Amino acid sequence: MDNKYYALDLDDSLETVFLVDSSLSNPIKYDARDSMIAKIKDKKMYLYGNAHVYYEDMEVTADIIEIDLEKSQVHATYSVDSLGKPIGRPFFKQGSEEFDAADILYNFKTKKGVIKDVKTQQGEGYLHMEVSKRHPNEEIHLKNGRFTTCDLAEPHFHFHLSKAVVVPNKRIVTG
């Protein structure tokens, strides 16, 4: 076993596990309601049921989360109930930025992420993005988006954005 990856501590009161990877600046803290599966050989952790991952000031919550220590990334998604309705859509929080999405892939080292089917508030407007890529400088590049002042899931009106760059709380650039 590569000694670079190991469980550091188990907090019995929260049933939370910490992982340390010497290439990361801080330990990864995670927990799950249903189950946690460790594949040490593959350097992966699988969390099921109300799962949480904490790293520095970043928090991800979802019904299903995979932590890949080899790639230094977390992948969060939802499951579906017997009626086909989503359970535990991923929620991402870092600093003042927070949003829920259908799928989140985030790299701990590069601080880049790919987010699918996300809605976020920008000032007094709302941005719906089919696929977006978050960069370490907080810029967001997106494809197939909508900008609106309507807060409904399906807005009554919007500006369609085939491609755009968003500088949070400053501007949206599109062509």
Side-chain angles (χ1 to χ4, degrees):
M1 182 170 93
D2 185 347
N3 64 3
K4 181 175 166 184
Y5 307 96
Y6 61 96
L8 175 67
D9 191 12
L10 178 63
D11 181 343
D12 292 330
S13 64
L14 297 175
E15 296 182 8
T16 301
V17 178
F18 298 83
L19 280 184
V20 173
D21 175 348
S22 61
S23 67
L24 295 173
S25 58
N26 289 302
I28 302 166
K29 180 180 170 185
Y30 60 91
D31 60 52
R33 181 192 65 226
D34 293 341
S35 59
M36 295 186 282
I37 300 170
K39 292 197 174 181
I40 304 300
K41 185 176 159 184
D42 297 332
K43 299 178 178 123
K44 292 184 180 181
M45 283 293 302
Y46 299 91
L47 313 172
Y48 298 97
N50 196 24
H52 300 85
V53 173
Y54 308 91
Y55 180 73
E56 295 177 343
D57 68 338
M58 184 272 312
E59 176 184 350
V60 175
T61 305
D63 202 50
I64 301 170
I65 297 179
E66 175 188 336
I67 303 170
D68 187 331
L69 294 172
E70 189 73 38
K71 295 178 181 177
S72 299
Q73 67 186 22
V74 62
H75 180 226
T77 190
Y78 60 90
S79 61
V80 293
D81 66 10
S82 60
L83 300 174
K85 293 183 181 180
I87 298 172
R89 275 178 61 96
F91 180 79
F92 179 91
K93 182 177 181 181
Q94 188 169 36
S96 63
E97 182 180 8
E98 56 184 56
F99 54 82
D100 73 335
D103 191 87
I104 298 172
L105 182 64
Y106 180 80
N107 188 293
F108 299 116
K109 288 182 185 175
T110 65
K111 304 211 182 288
K112 291 182 181 179
V114 176
I115 305 117
K116 296 181 181 173
D117 187 24
V118 64
K119 176 185 166 190
T120 185
Q121 187 169 0
Q122 294 291 315
E124 293 186 23
Y126 296 90
L127 199 57
H128 299 246
M129 299 171 275
E130 187 176 303
V131 178
S132 58
K133 185 173 184 181
R134 182 183 184 276
H135 296 273
N137 64 359
E138 296 188 6
E139 281 187 3
I140 301 168
H141 294 210
L142 68 95
K143 287 188 347 186
N144 296 327
R146 297 178 287 178
F147 180 76
T148 182
T149 55
C150 180
D151 65 350
L152 298 175
E154 288 299 323
H156 295 100
F157 55 90
H158 66 271
F159 291 103
H160 181 75
L161 311 170
S162 57
K163 289 183 182 179
V165 176
V166 178
V167 180
N169 300 314
K170 290 186 181 177
R171 66 182 147 270
I172 299 172
V173 181
T174 188

